[in-house]
Structure formats: structure tokens, C-alpha cells
Amino acid sequence: MSVPFIDAELPALKDAVATALEYARSLGTSAAEVAISKQQGLSVSSRLKEVETVEFNKDGALGITVYRDGHKGNSSTSDLSPEAIKEAVRAADGIARYTSEDPSAGLADAELMATEFPNLDVYHPRDCSAEELAELGIAAETAALATDKRITNSDGASANAHSSIKVYGNSHGFLHGYCSSRYSLSCVVIGADDQGDMQRDYDYTVARRFEQLQSAQLIGQSAAHKTVSRLGARKLPTGKLPVIFAADIATGLLGHLVGAISGSSLYRKSSFLQDSLGQTLFPEWFNIHEQPHLLGGLASAMYDSEGVATKDRLIVDNGALQTYLLTSYSARKLGMKNTGHAGGIYNWRVSDSGKNLAQLLQQMGTGLLVTEVMGQGVNSVTGDYSRGAAGFYVENGEIQYPVEEITIASNLKDMYRNIVAVSGDREQRSSINTGAIFIEQMKIAGN
């Protein structure tokens, strides 16, 4: 079994969107927009070097939104035959006749539509077979189990090859679609020591091109090293310490910023960064640059899910918040301009301090390196932050021992303001490209 290329379906999907838009127009609607998202892929999982599952998926649907003078209706169908599409349009139109009027509803403004469609290098189809993906997962497990005798078990490996198509059109005359690909490999293993302590950890790699995945051997070895490094973990005494969030955890720390400056949180008045535009939230050296057109980027896009052209912009400049993240609806609710963020963010790059993680540990001296956070203890309204954590206690700039079963707490405003440094060795597998983040001080609840 292998994954056929998906791009051959693009013309037919564009025709389906055009059919829906034309039929909506014929019904006398004020405006309409149609989106199709279609995915297909192959996933193979193994455990203890034996294939456990092979799964091929192919799914997708057409979503139609119609507007009648401020009244909005939605419908969807996975059947893309002309009659099924027309039935979905009629259903959406019927709903619009009964919904309450909303002055903020409607298409994004016509002048904001994307008009240029450069190749962003996000589609690299490859004829991956189930056998090839199985070999990758088994190779990762084999490498992990051979790395250290304390690796006693495997919780499995998974190799995936997926392609997708997105097509969007609206009654402004916008109609465009593109394909993208994504490949990944992950491995999870379990370790145990002579004292009976057991730990598990993992590593993974993801890329647009299959050949850009890290090697199975490297992923397996890394998963093993991370697992055994956690053995013998202890609690810390309750107190206050400097904290460094490892790069992959730091992406989540900045993910709370994404939520707080998103239009839906702001117009609902449920954000701890309400009325913060232009304010200095971070140290003056701190910047976040958004790059939607980065070639091959995991979060690159020519336009958002409303057809609005994306563009490079500074989210944070010299520590000050430069923009909110607004869709057409949230922009109208707030009386502001649409920023083209319907559907998310695009390749955020965080400025760094020119040091690697080891140098950051030396700079910190004594403190906590956080490599895992748990729980949902973040209040998006107040910014209060309290989460379970695991990691390593650091003294004299050197890791001393692993730590678990502690809670770290502060407020996100204070955490952002008190960032001391960001490392230059970055997390590359996320839409937020950042290094480890060093925060001056947090409360630690332990023994």
C-alpha cells in the first residue's frame, strides 16, 4: 500500500467550489464563501519492533457559508456531486433566513484578497509504502532499545506521510487552491533503574519533505537519552527559582500570547492582554517576526482561510505589542482592520540572545530547567499561570538531577516582562520558532 498523489484532484475541487458559489448567487444571496479541505495519508505504528497498525485515511468536506443582509447560514457535505453541493447551498440559505442579523458577519473586504500566489515550496509528494514507513518506525525503536540497558520497553513508534488540499472561493471572485505535504516520525520508550523508578519520554521529527526528516536512529537514540535522563527524579523544596523553559516547551509559553491577542478573546473581553496594543510587554530587546511566505515553512500560507493576503509583520517590536490577530469578524467587532489571521499564525520567529542552552544554564547558575508541563492551569482572563512540571535542577550552571511532581506558578504578564534571555538553538517543529526561554523567577511548589 502507498499514498497516491493528491494534486490531480485540485481542478475538480476548484470546479466544486465554483459550482457552489454560482448556485448561491442564483438563489439571490448577498454573498457566499466556500472552502474544501481534503486530506489523505498513511500511518504505520510499531511496538517492540513489530508492526501494530497500518492506517490509510482519505477524507474531506465542502463547507458553504451564505449571507443574506447580515444573516448567516452554514452547511457542509462530504459528497461533492453537483446535486449534493446544491443541496448543501440550499440548506445554508435556509438557515440564513432564520438566524439573527449580525452587522459584523460577512466576507472579508474585497481589497484584502490575495492577488499573488507564489510557490511556497510546501508540497513534496512521495510514494511512501507501508513497508517503508514500518521500517522507519522499527529502526527508531531498535536504536532506542540498543542505546542504554535501562531502556526496558517501548511504547511504540509511528511514521506518517500525509498530503492535503485546501481550496477557497468567495463571491468577490476569489478562487484558489493549493496542496501541501507533511511527514513525521516519532518514538516513545520506557526506562527503569535498579531502584524500580520508571520513566518514559519521546522524540519526533516533522518536515514538508520526506528526505528532511531526521534519521530514525537519531530519533530513537534521542528518545532513549531523554528517558534515562529522567530516572531517579526528585521533588524540589518549595520556594522561588529562576526557570528556563526548554525550546519545545517555550513554544507553548508563547502560544498563550497567541490566544490572548486573538480577536475572539479580545471582543469577548476574556484576555489578560485586553487593551495592550502598543504596550511594552517584553524586554526591549525582544522581537517576534511573523513570516507567512517562508519557503517550506510548516506554517506558511499565501492567504488565510478567508482569502486575505498574508504578509510579513512584527508582532512584537522592541518589546512592544504591535498588532492583534484579527479575522474579518473580530476586526469589525473591535472597529479595527483585519490582519489576515483567520486560521492561525504563520511562522513566528522569536529573537534570541546569541547563546545556546548550555550557555543559558551557565548564565542562570542555580535554577530549574523545565522540559515538561502538565495540566490546564492557565487563566486566559487574568494570566495566572500554575502548571505541573518536570525537568532538571541546575546548580553552578550544570544539571544536577532530574525533578518531577512540582508545580511552577506566576502570572504570564510577569513572565513575559521578566524574560532574561532566549537561546539560539531553536525549536524547528512548530509554527513558533523559538529557543529556550530564561525567566528571572517563578514560584516552585514541591516538598
Side-chain angles (χ1 to χ4, degrees), residues 168-179:
Y168 174 80
N170 62 34
S171 46
H172 289 322
F174 182 94
L175 176 57
H176 191 266
Y178 63 95
C179 302

Side-chain angles (χ1 to χ4, degrees), residues 19-322:
T19 296
L21 290 170
E22 175 57 29
Y23 189 62
R25 187 193 64 78
S26 73
L27 294 178
T29 59
S30 305
E33 56 185 337
V34 181
I36 292 180
S37 178
K38 196 163 189 178
Q39 305 83 30
Q40 68 178 30
L42 189 61
S43 300
V44 180
S45 65
S46 61
R47 185 171 179 274
L48 292 173
K49 300 187 281 188
E50 297 284 342
V51 173
E52 198 165 50
T53 62
V54 178
E55 180 180 349
F56 175 74
N57 73 287
K58 185 171 184 176
D59 52 54
L62 177 148
I64 171 83
T65 302
V66 302
Y67 301 93
R68 279 190 173 272
D69 302 318
H71 302 266
K72 175 182 174 182
N74 301 93
S75 181
S76 65
T77 177
S78 56
D79 182 350
L80 299 184
S81 66
E83 189 47 52
I85 291 172
K86 290 180 179 180
E87 180 58 35
V89 175
R90 287 194 292 269
D93 187 38
I95 293 168
R97 294 172 186 271
Y98 291 97
T99 57
S100 300
E101 184 179 358
D102 186 344
S104 299
L107 303 179
D109 295 343
E111 63 269 20
L112 299 178
M113 295 295 105
T115 55
E116 297 179 359
F117 306 100
N119 181 359
L120 296 184
D121 198 37
V122 296
Y123 182 54
H124 296 279
R126 189 177 187 280
D127 189 13
C128 293
S129 67
E131 291 78 13
E132 183 177 22
L133 295 179
E135 286 174 7
L136 270 184
I138 291 170
E141 283 192 293
T142 301
L145 293 165
T147 296
D148 193 297
K149 64 181 181 180
R150 290 169 291 179
I151 298 298
T152 58
N153 205 343
S154 170
D155 214 11
S158 177
N160 307 278
H162 286 87
S163 295
S164 65
I165 295 179
K166 291 182 179 179
V167 180
Y168 174 80
N170 62 34
S171 46
H172 289 322
F174 182 94
L175 176 57
H176 191 266
Y178 63 95
C179 302
S180 62
S181 57
R182 187 175 292 246
Y183 305 91
S184 64
L185 170 66
S186 63
C187 181
V188 188
V189 290
I190 299 168
D193 61 18
D194 295 338
Q195 286 70 47
D197 182 30
M198 296 182 70
Q199 297 284 349
R200 70 196 288 274
D201 213 325
Y202 70 99
D203 205 354
Y204 72 100
T205 177
V206 59
R208 293 288 193 187
R209 296 174 183 258
F210 182 84
E211 58 270 20
Q212 288 180 341
L213 291 175
Q214 289 184 301
S215 73
Q217 182 178 13
L218 186 62
I219 293 302
Q221 290 173 341
S222 176
H225 289 312
K226 289 169 71 174
T227 299
V228 298
S229 71
R230 298 178 63 152
L231 292 169
R234 317 176 203 173
K235 284 187 178 181
L236 284 176
T238 295
K240 294 181 179 180
L241 285 173
V243 172
I244 293 176
F245 286 80
D248 57 335
I249 307 303
T251 60
L253 190 63
L254 294 175
H256 299 305
L257 173 67
V258 176
I261 63 174
S262 293
S264 57
S265 298
L266 295 163
Y267 75 72
R268 292 187 176 104
K269 300 191 181 302
S270 60
S271 168
F272 69 95
L273 293 180
Q274 204 80 32
D275 302 318
S276 292
L277 198 61
Q279 292 186 11
T280 300
L281 305 177
F282 296 86
E284 288 188 358
W285 54 266
F286 189 94
N287 301 295
I288 299 177
H289 184 200
E290 184 170 59
Q291 300 172 289
H293 304 153
L294 197 65
L295 294 181
L298 292 176
S300 294
M302 296 165 279
Y303 49 87
D304 73 355
S305 58
E306 296 181 301
V308 175
T310 55
K311 62 180 181 180
D312 278 25
R313 68 175 74 228
L314 281 166
I315 306 297
V316 174
D317 185 24
N318 296 326
L321 181 65
Q322 300 298 303

